[in-house]
Amino acid sequence: MTYQKKALKHKNITLENRIYRLVWRIVCIFLFRFTPIFMHKWRIFLLNLFGANISNRCYIYPDVRIWSPENLKMSSGSTLGPNVNCYNCDLVVLGINTTVSQDVTLCTGTHDVSKQSFSDDPEMPLLVAPIVLKDFCWITAEVFIHPGVTVDEGSIVSARSVVNHSPNSWGIYAGFPAKRIGDRKLHPNKDT
């Protein structure tokens, strides 16, 4: 594991949490998933009803998969694009005007493989850490973001990259693992 081990913490999934997620899945199937694309405010209402903290000025597509609404916070102008997989066993935070494009995976959970033994205990404990995407970030198509990553303000992560460390502000990142390949201008409309 090359991502930030120190940020990971054990999480126990309680019966109450399983029931909450089951009810969410049922609501999601019947009232969320098959809504027209333009019904962003309806989907925000449903997510907030289940404990999310989402501004009314956000955009959430109907085929987004959200594991636990109570672990989702989105600021004004943020977007979860088509087919995003938000596996948020821990908190996922999107800052102002942050865009998560199609087919991105935001993965806050992994397993402690060092504790697993097929003969003694076939379970691998769940380890979680939050993902924070600060203001004005753009996570482009098919990016995978590991648990515990904070993408600093204004950064762009290029398509199909894997982010297993926290990128610095106003950079352009690409690759597996993602590395800084350029700088993003702070004020692209101004001559500097």
Side-chain angles (χ1 to χ4, degrees), residues 26 34 45 47 60 63 80 89 107 113 125 131 137 141 181 184:
I26 293 166
F34 297 107
F45 167 75
L47 287 162
I60 300 171
D63 52 359
L80 285 176
C89 308
C107 182
V113 294
I131 292 174
C137 291
I181 60 168
R184 186 176 181 198

Side-chain angles (χ1 to χ4, degrees), residues 146-161:
H146 279 267
V149 167
T150 296
V151 178
D152 267 344
E153 182 178 72
S155 289
I156 295 174
V157 181
S158 295
R160 296 194 169 180
S161 296

Side-chain angles (χ1 to χ4, degrees), residues 35-43 58-62:
T35 56
I37 290 175
F38 66 85
M39 292 183 67
H40 300 289
K41 291 198 185 309
W42 171 251
R43 291 185 290 275
C58 290
Y59 306 93
I60 300 171
Y61 282 72

Side-chain angles (χ1 to χ4, degrees), residues 53-54 70-75 78 80 86 88 90-96 98-100 106 108 129-135 137 139 145 149-151:
N53 182 359
I54 302 172
E70 66 186 356
N71 290 333
L72 181 61
K73 181 178 180 185
M74 294 175 66
S75 298
S78 294
L80 285 176
C86 185
N88 57 340
D90 203 338
L91 190 62
V92 169
V93 178
L94 276 68
I96 296 168
T98 289
T99 298
V100 178
L106 303 172
T108 64
I131 292 174
V132 178
L133 309 175
K134 293 191 177 176
D135 299 346
C137 291
I139 311 302
I145 298 187
V149 167
T150 296
V151 178

